[in-house]
Amino acid sequence: MQLLKLVESKVRVGVPLPWNVRNQDCTLLLARGHVIRNDSQLEALLERGMFVDIEEFKAVQALAAPAAKPPESIYTRWALAIDALESALPHLGETSDSLDAIQALADEILELADADPDIGLFMAVRQDHAKHLRYGYSHAVYTALLGILMARQLGWAAVRIRQIALAALTMNASIAELQGQMAAQDYPALDRQRTQIRAHPALSAALLEKAGVTDAEWIAAVMQHHEQPDGSGYPHGISSVSDTAQVLRMADLFMARISPRQLRQPLSIQDAARLMFRDDKGGPFSTATIKVLGIYPPGDFVKLASGEMGVVMRRGAEARTPLVAAVTDSQGKSVTSTLQRDTSQAAYAITGPATDRSLLARVPPERLYGYAVHTG
């Protein structure tokens, strides 16, 4: 038996002893549960020497310690990122804490993009469409992810990649609540709402300056994220637009097009990509986006040459050959098992997007990826 000598701070007067107390020879002095009545008794015992079996001491400590919090799944971390932005963004410019929280959130999204970009894209493509009122926050978080992946594809330095994440999270700081309201409303935008939309880049940039942001590229990206090189954008109609702002505009517009509103259905991934490629005239930014997403990104629902329908799990070596999880049989009937299909094989080649998306509600990410945990 290995003994540990007790000191005064470990023994409480009037409280039952949590372990047996012994002398230096291992002889039992006080049994577990005994109560030391006063300071004089405690002082006498300490002078005599109080010892405890070290294993018994550790066992009591372990029971008293709070249970370790299990690591959060990567899916939960994406949901918490939206919560964090919803807590911080409305207070931007009011407290330093809000800016600190947004900085920390940008780092979290960068870490999630490193941990598993395919799961991130799945969450972005398959975001909870029922929560229209949170659209302003979920949209910013997933735009940040797409902007990060685009910038990495373009070979940008880490500092610029972080700037685009920060700009995406704050580009709509002045209208985040309005965006949710407009996503949920079943009537066209009102004139006053359009006015707010046109003014929001400048107002959001002003909130950043008020919050103490001095990063000129971050502020410029927010100010310019609706400007276009041909001068047709807003709020100022300039033609000299930063690369960061152009990437942010494309990521912003792409995510907006694939997100539903109460008033309209979302565009398909393929239609949204086609429009982006057309608008950019096949330039480097739209090309980078298509390389990042592939033709069928994670979360997309597709038909296979086998007759099965499946959810894209991971991007493949080629844009048209991702890894797919089949969720129906060849007759289109839902199956309980999930079989992975390599679409580079002719038997499982993708023949196009699936139009009936009702089955998607039964395919949570855990079914495809397992209970993925990334502790960073």
Side-chain angles (χ1 to χ4, degrees), residues 84-85 87-89 96-107 169:
L85 188 62
S87 295
L89 200 60
S96 60
D97 289 348
S98 61
L99 184 58
D100 291 343
I102 288 167
Q103 298 260 16
L105 179 55
D107 293 332
L169 293 174

Side-chain angles (χ1 to χ4, degrees), residues 78 80 88 95 99 209 220 227 231 241 249 300 306 313 327 353 358 370:
W78 277 112
L80 290 174
T95 67
L99 184 58
E209 291 176 333
E227 303 285 5
V241 186
R249 176 175 60 83
D300 209 3
S306 61
M313 288 182 61
V327 295
S358 59

